[in-house]
Amino acid sequence: IAPGYLQKEWKVGDRKYYHYKMDNKIINFYSILSARYTVLEDSWTSPEGKKVNIQIFYQHGQTYDLDMMVKGIKKTLDYCGKNFSPYQYHQVRILEFPRYASFAQSFPNTIPFSESIGFITKVDPNNPDDIAYPFYVTCHEVAHQWWGHQVIGANAKGAALMCESMAQYCALMVMEKEYGKAMMEKFLRYEMDGYLRARGVESKGEPSLEDVEGQGYVYYQKGGIAMYALREYIGEDSLNNALKRYVHAVAFSGPPYTNSREFLKFIRSGTPDSMQYLVKDMFEKITFYENSVKSASYTKLANGKYKVDMEIAIGKKYSDKMGNEKSASVDDYFEVGVYGESKDKNKPNFIYLQKMKLTDKSKKIELIVDEKPVKAGIDPRHLLIDRNITDNTANVGDASPAIAKK
């Protein structure tokens, strides 16, 4: 099996031959796999009526994740086709390979996929700590049919931003729509931890996303966090409209290939003036926040509502590639959230979640909510890179006069 469409197969003596052909130009990037496969067949139809054949080639008996993979293919074709451009091929194929390596990789309409991250991964839907990893990896690899095979970056610094970070973004969007925001909070914490751990052992210097080269923890973990956060700050429609204009401008183009500077110009074009600092902080610089809640209390009001008082601390630092840091003034937007009681501890109940413009001199926040608060925080969903996220929220105590007197 190779990328393309099988034209014919034949045998001469003991040797088999297969002829594959593409129906449009592709980059010089392809895979060849051979095995005794069982094949799952399905299909997807675009809103315009184009039929795309889906095939999963797998070892007989390894069926745990096949339905999840098919769903991931279809959901990603839906999302990317709607938001960026039509899918360019007439088929999508996933091919299993053994655990001598643990990765998946997207070639033109063909995705080799290790059994170690799919096929034998039995995700327990009743276990809140289980992440639907085969679904996520499938979405990421299918997204590469746009970000890597339609948009092809120059072999230069920042190329992985338009390839891997964008595939991360698409996978996160599809995953959120399938599993909800609670799953995304858990996944983002996992990604944040991966980024911070990896940069802690960097020996050659950490680049910004704009200039990233071979540092996977930057273009995977940090890139996904940055794109997801930007979506939350400027809105999905605004971001995707900018990305759509970018795809239409550069898709399938040859030399001179697009680069990260051009990509960020389109991102800026969809970002309001008040949020332009985010593009600089997330993509051009290495930025860290030091946000915490020092105390939080509530008072029940006569009208049945609750007044929440928080004492907070805010900090922001820029780092150079060698880890040398300097403090920066803060005049940024932060999410401020208040949680109410929830029947499901894995699905937080926000009774207040808004963005506020705060400075490093901000010390106190006062809010009015309709329900009894149990926890409150600044950047509670961890959209901003903070090396200590455990103090972003705090339990809210009762500070009503009766309690205080007692």
Side-chain angles (χ1 to χ4, degrees):
I1 305 165
Y5 308 93
L6 183 63
Q7 305 297 301
K8 63 177 180 177
E9 58 180 285
W10 66 99
K11 186 174 182 180
V12 178
D14 292 332
R15 174 165 291 181
K16 290 183 177 181
Y17 294 82
Y18 302 84
H19 177 206
Y20 286 89
K21 185 177 181 180
M22 292 298 296
D23 54 355
N24 52 27
K25 289 182 179 181
I26 63 172
I27 58 176
N28 186 26
F29 186 65
Y30 50 87
S31 58
I32 299 172
L33 292 90
S34 178
R36 296 182 181 91
Y37 283 117
T38 301
V39 185
L40 181 152
E41 304 269 0
D42 208 313
S43 65
W44 171 83
T45 302
S46 73
E48 298 74 30
K50 176 183 175 180
K51 182 180 178 181
V52 174
N53 295 319
I54 295 171
Q55 293 179 312
I56 300 182
F57 294 75
Y58 66 99
Q59 180 174 318
H60 180 73
Q62 295 187 346
T63 60
Y64 281 140
D65 304 321
L66 301 186
D67 291 344
M68 197 181 299
M69 290 176 173
V70 170
K71 182 188 290 186
I73 291 171
K74 292 180 178 181
K75 297 286 186 180
T76 309
L77 291 173
D78 284 338
Y79 188 84
C80 293
K82 174 184 176 181
N83 287 288
F84 308 130
S85 64
Y87 180 59
Q88 66 267 42
Y89 304 119
H90 297 280
Q91 66 182 14
V92 181
R93 297 176 301 185
I94 290 178
L95 302 91
E96 181 180 5
F97 67 86
R99 283 178 288 169
Y100 53 72
S102 298
F103 67 89
Q105 192 165 13
S106 191
F107 296 87
N109 70 31
T110 302
I111 303 169
F113 201 125
S114 173
E115 68 173 348
S116 66
I117 55 173
F119 299 99
I120 60 173
T121 303
K122 190 174 183 180
V123 178
D124 182 359
N126 298 315
N127 184 350
D129 293 325
D130 265 12
I131 292 175
Y133 208 77
F135 180 87
Y136 163 75
V137 174
T138 298
C139 296
H140 177 102
E141 298 305 331
V142 174
H144 273 310
Q145 301 299 312
W146 281 263
W147 305 102
H149 291 290
Q150 289 193 24
V151 174
I152 304 165
N155 187 16
K157 291 181 178 181
L161 171 58
M162 297 88 71
C163 182
E164 297 297 349
S165 298
M166 280 307 306
Q168 287 284 90
Y169 168 70
C170 294
L172 292 172
M173 293 298 99
V174 176
M175 196 171 176
E176 179 183 273
K177 288 170 177 28
E178 184 66 21
Y179 295 103
K181 285 185 177 291
M183 170 67 80
M184 296 313 302
E185 287 185 45
K186 179 168 64 176
F187 193 82
L188 288 174
R189 287 196 299 271
Y190 175 81
E191 294 290 90
M192 186 88 72
D193 185 61
Y195 165 66
L196 293 173
R197 286 178 181 272
R199 76 178 299 271
V201 296
E202 173 62 66
S203 59
K204 295 182 179 179
E206 177 187 356
S208 66
L209 272 166
E210 183 183 51
D211 289 329
V212 66
E213 295 184 273
Q215 299 84 359
Y217 69 95
V218 176
Y219 56 71
Y220 281 126
Q221 279 76 34
K222 182 181 178 180
I225 294 167
M227 290 302 304
Y228 186 89
L230 188 62
R231 190 287 301 259
E232 288 296 282
Y233 272 88
I234 72 172
E236 191 170 354
D237 287 344
S238 296
L239 179 55
N240 284 349
N241 285 337
L243 293 170
K244 186 173 187 176
R245 292 193 297 271
Y246 174 66
V247 172
H248 286 187
V250 307
F252 306 111
S253 60
Y257 293 102
T258 186
N259 56 51
S260 59
R261 269 64 172 175
E262 184 176 18
F263 172 78
L264 289 177
K265 284 181 182 178
F266 281 86
I267 294 292
R268 287 192 190 92
S269 72
T271 303
D273 290 346
S274 61
M275 299 289 181
Q276 288 289 327
Y277 76 92
L278 282 169
V279 180
K280 179 173 152 182
D281 283 354
M282 291 178 174
F283 298 95
E284 298 177 6
K285 291 181 172 290
I286 303 170
T287 308
F288 298 98
Y289 288 85
E290 296 176 340
N291 304 321
S292 63
V293 177
K294 300 303 181 183
S295 64
S297 62
Y298 74 85
T299 304
K300 189 172 182 179
L301 304 177
N303 61 4
K305 296 181 183 292
Y306 296 83
K307 180 169 73 75
V308 179
D309 292 288
M310 278 192 286
E311 183 180 352
I312 61 169
I314 299 173
K316 177 173 160 181
K317 290 184 177 180
Y318 292 131
S319 173
D320 65 16
K321 67 179 183 179
M322 299 311 297
N324 300 307
E325 298 178 357
K326 63 178 181 179
S327 296
S329 60
V330 179
D331 190 18
D332 301 1
Y333 284 91
F334 298 86
E335 273 195 346
V336 175
V338 179
Y339 299 82
E341 294 181 354
S342 176
K343 295 180 180 179
D344 185 346
K345 66 178 182 179
N346 298 300
K347 293 183 179 179
N349 172 31
F350 279 107
I351 56 178
Y352 183 95
L353 186 64
Q354 298 290 335
K355 294 178 180 64
M356 292 184 179
K357 194 167 190 181
L358 304 171
T359 73
D360 44 10
K361 294 181 173 26
S362 299
K363 300 296 182 185
K364 294 184 179 180
I365 296 175
E366 181 180 299
L367 305 169
I368 305 296
V369 296
D370 295 329
E371 300 177 29
K372 179 182 176 181
V374 296
K375 191 165 65 171
I378 179 171
D379 190 30
R381 297 192 298 151
H382 317 303
L383 301 179
L384 305 173
I385 294 177
D386 190 325
R387 282 170 292 198
N388 181 15
I389 62 175
T390 61
D391 60 0
N392 282 37
T393 58
N395 293 330
V396 181
D398 188 345
S400 62
I403 297 296
K405 184 177 180 180
K406 181 179 177 180

